[in-house]
Structures are given as structure tokens and as C-alpha cells.
Amino acid sequence: MKKYLWSFALTALALAACGKKEETPAAAPAAAPVASAPAVPVNTEEKVLNIYNWPDYVPEGMIAAFEKESGIKVNYDTFETNEALQAKLVAGNTGYDIVVPGTVFAKGQIEGGLLQPLDKAKIKNLANLDPAIMATLTKADPENKHLVPWAWGFTTVGINKTKVAKALGSLPMPENAWDLVFDPKYSSKLKSCGIAYLDSPTEIIPVALHYVGKDAYSNNPEDYKVASAMLAKVRKDVRLFSSTMIDDISGGKACVAVGWSGDINIAAGRAKENGSKDEIEALLPSTGALIFFDTMAITKDAKHPNNAAAFIDFFLRAENAALMSNEMSYPTGNKAAIDKIKPEIAGNKTIFVESDYFSKMIPPSSFTNEAREAMATAYNAFKKGK
Ligand code: N2P
């Protein structure tokens, strides 16, 4: 029973986000009587599908299984930051059919016409999605017309517990894990074993804003000054700017990272596989961590929208969504998949967080274009100013 608590917490989050009492599960296509349903048109697209997703997000063999079943050849590329995807979408002619933006960016991409509405009649497994998650996504996609959850997770602090304890020496672990990466008292000691930050303005400035007591999704550049002043004090202690925390932490380049919950859990497994006795852990900071939702969407100029719909439908099968959670350590927004998730994943509080911690977490919002520019300026100055 316990493992379902997060779902109730999500419902609460969704309702709070929408200010509504009830939500219709907008993802479910309206049921039409079979007799009057239009004949399904034959898919005449060339048998190709181009996908652009984050690294370490798709279980091994899943793409091959789709190719085998559908006869569609998939070209699968990866990007490491929302900024990189945004730049491609804005430039246009990406060549990609499916992209997987975080909702923080997807909102503007929908408003800017960069993504096309889904043909829901072609994606019957949308009915598997959790209405509570879909309600949460309405903040970015008001009528659930464009976005389909791939996974969600949170940005937090990941550590190699063994190395961190050694580097801190007699200094005990702070109550708030963010202190490890933002308070010079700790960062000056952890410098020796390596501090890694995600390499993205919209990952680092929000967590820094949260740490200095500002709204993580503030659009006010004055607030970025406060965050920057704090960041400047720890700049000399940061070894790496990188989105590859799996390698960084499990390979020993960093003992602490501002990173993503699932990737930190993957790093923990990787270190064990490599025979390390060090314990790697995604921490749950006392002041909360930042939730993200990554969502599949079809680009406005996709050449293979039918193949894209076929893949989305395939991914939304309960067993495939469960495989994503089981292999990649990220919670799924697929309700039908929940009872197929392995107990060790469902019971891992740093993957499916419990409701008492969930209520402390910071839900995603979005930034104006001007704010994103100001944030990038603040971030680049921070990065340069060693
Ligand atoms: C990649 C996870 C991406 C999470 N493994 C951040 N959007």
C-alpha cells in the first residue's frame, strides 16, 4: 500500500497547481462505438522515425523491440540539456519527429508553435496514463494536447557517501544536503574529492534560488543576483560542469554532484557492478528537491508523425513504461505500469519518494524568454569567474 502514497501526493500537487477540485483524465481518448469509428488510414510514411531524447533514459533493447515489431527504423540521438533541445527547435528543421523536453521548456515550445497536437485516436494507450500526472502537466500543456510523460524525477544532491565522509573528516553531514554544494564550509572540504554541477543555467540557477530562499522559478533578475552572489563563493570548489553524473560519480571524478535522481541511482548500481564498496546515494535535502517532468512531443514539422504516434503508443504499454522505471530508476507517469514495477524500485524512497517528503518538493514551473536570457548571463558569469 505504502508505495502508492506518492500517487496521492501527486494528486494533491496537481490539484494545487490547477486550483480545481476535479480533473477529467484528459489523456483518455473519448470512447467511440466501434461501428461508427472511422477506418484507420494506412500508414504510408517511409519506415523511419527520428527521436531526440536525454541520455540514459531508454532501456536497452526497447528501441530494437519497436523496430522489429513495426518495421520502422529508429534513429535515436541524445541531448544533455533543455537549452540544447530548445536551440534546435527554435532553429527549425530539426529532422526529429519525437523530442522529450522538460515541461519547464515545453510550455514555451507549445506556445511558440514548435510542437504539434497529438492525434490521440492513434495513441490508444494514452488511457494508461495517471490522471493525476496529466493534471499536473496542464500547467505546461493546458488541455493535455501535446505532451506525454516519459518519466519524472527530481534534481538533487548525489554523493559517494564513503568519499564524502572521508573528505569531511570531523565535520558531520549537514542537515540540509544542499549545504554540501552551496556552503563553503562543506564545499571547501569536498573540493578534494570533486564537486560536479549540472551544466545548464536552468538547472543550477533554480536550485541556487531555492537555496537562498527565493522562488526557484523566479522570473526576476534581481533574484538571480542574490543566487549568483551565493554561487560565487563556492565557484573555486566546483571541479566539473557536466551532465554525465553516472560516469562522474561511479568513475570517481566527483564525490558529490548536483544531479538527477534516477541517474544518481544508476551510478550507485554501476559502482557496485564495477566492484566498488563505496555507497552512492541520491539525498533528500531537508528543504526539498526540484521535481521535473520530461515529456514526449511531436515536432511541428515532423516528417513521420504516424510513426511517432506508433512509438508513443508502444512506449505507453504498461510493460514498456514499467521497464523504463525498472531499468532507468525514474518513476513513470503510467498508472497501468505501477504494479509491474520491481519492489526494490517501487520501494526506493529516492526514486518513488514517500508522500511526506513529496510535499516538501518544489514542482516545476517555467520561465519567460527574458528570464532565461538573464539566467544564462548569470550562469555564464558564474562559470567563468573562477
Ligand atoms: C537522463 C535524465 C534526464 C533528467 N537520464 C533531466 N531532465
Side-chain angles (χ1 to χ4, degrees):
M1 197 60 210
K2 212 170 170 191
K3 70 179 177 183
Y4 295 110
L5 282 176
W6 63 270
S7 177
F8 295 122
L10 259 178
T11 310
L13 173 79
L15 294 180
C18 302
K20 283 185 204 161
K21 282 235 161 60
E22 275 175 40
E23 283 295 333
T24 27
V34 174
S36 66
V40 181
V42 180
N43 183 356
T44 51
E45 281 169 14
E46 62 171 336
K47 295 250 171 200
V48 173
L49 175 65
N50 299 321
I51 303 181
Y52 201 36
N53 198 352
W54 301 79
D56 304 298
Y57 233 7
V58 70
E60 219 184 307
M62 186 180 278
I63 297 296
F66 173 74
E67 288 181 317
K68 194 167 169 210
E69 183 183 301
S70 65
I72 295 169
K73 159 94 181 88
V74 176
N75 298 305
Y76 192 93
D77 290 343
T78 59
F79 60 88
E80 294 185 346
T81 63
N82 270 311
E83 284 85 350
L85 169 59
Q86 171 78 5
K88 285 236 170 163
L89 288 174
V90 169
N93 287 320
T94 59
Y96 294 113
D97 301 299
I98 295 180
V99 291
V100 189
T103 56
V104 174
F105 276 65
K107 182 173 192 284
Q109 291 162 359
I110 292 169
E111 287 165 359
L114 299 172
L115 307 172
Q116 61 171 276
L118 302 163
D119 184 349
K120 292 191 178 184
K122 297 203 174 93
I123 315 175
K124 63 177 190 336
N125 289 327
L126 286 169
N128 286 342
L129 289 168
D130 185 338
I133 302 256
M134 296 315 286
T136 301
L137 296 189
T138 57
K139 242 176 135 182
D141 182 18
E143 292 171 72
N144 287 138
K145 279 189 178 158
H146 304 79
L147 307 179
V148 178
W150 178 274
W152 61 277
F154 54 98
T155 304
T156 189
V157 181
I159 59 168
N160 177 323
K161 243 175 151 175
T162 323
K163 284 191 176 161
V164 163
K166 214 166 159 194
L168 290 182
S170 57
L171 188 62
M173 277 286 282
E175 199 193 307
N176 179 10
W178 292 117
D179 287 344
L180 294 171
V181 289
F182 292 141
D183 180 346
K185 185 164 112 185
Y186 297 93
S187 62
S188 58
K189 293 209 182 310
L190 297 174
K191 183 186 172 157
S192 58
C193 59
I195 297 178
Y197 277 20
L198 284 167
D199 195 8
S200 151
T202 54
E203 296 279 4
I204 295 303
I205 303 292
V207 288
L209 283 166
H210 173 63
Y211 185 70
V212 298
K214 303 280 182 195
D215 171 10
Y217 293 96
S218 168
N219 278 297
N220 181 359
E222 287 304 310
D223 290 343
Y224 307 164
K225 287 190 188 148
V226 185
S228 295
M230 180 280 288
L231 287 170
K233 295 194 187 123
V234 292
R235 173 62 187 93
K236 61 176 183 359
D237 300 333
V238 180
R239 181 186 290 176
L240 294 171
F241 289 89
S242 137
S243 304
T244 55
M245 71 226 74
I246 301 178
D247 291 344
D248 300 339
I249 309 179
S250 71
K253 269 191 259 169
C255 62
V256 52
V258 175
W260 301 311
S261 51
D263 285 39
I264 299 163
N265 273 289
I266 296 176
R270 186 79 53 88
K272 267 198 201 122
E273 275 164 34
N274 293 346
S276 166
K277 291 210 167 56
D278 289 3
E279 223 181 297
I280 289 168
E281 202 180 306
L283 300 176
L284 301 174
S286 58
T287 61
L290 271 64
I291 297 177
F292 59 78
F293 291 96
D294 289 329
T295 49
M296 287 182 279
I298 304 182
T299 57
K300 68 156 196 268
D301 50 5
K303 294 211 169 54
H304 315 100
N306 292 328
N307 297 346
F311 179 80
I312 293 173
D313 202 48
F314 174 85
F315 182 76
L316 288 179
R317 288 181 195 166
E319 58 276 21
N320 286 335
L323 196 62
M324 188 286 299
S325 277
N326 287 334
E327 301 286 314
M328 312 321 291
S329 300
Y330 282 99
T332 172
N334 191 314
K335 203 172 180 179
I338 296 297
D339 63 2
K340 297 183 169 47
I341 293 174
K342 292 192 264 184
E344 64 268 34
I345 298 287
N348 181 330
K349 293 178 192 147
T350 69
I351 298 176
F352 284 89
V353 295
E354 291 183 316
S355 58
D356 57 344
Y357 188 73
F358 198 93
S359 58
K360 283 193 194 177
M361 294 178 114
I362 295 87
S365 184
S366 57
F367 298 107
T368 62
N369 286 342
E370 296 73 31
R372 269 212 313 268
E373 269 167 43
M375 205 175 292
T377 309
Y379 174 79
N380 290 332
F382 154 66
K383 219 174 138 180
K384 256 189 245 148
K386 204 162 184 169

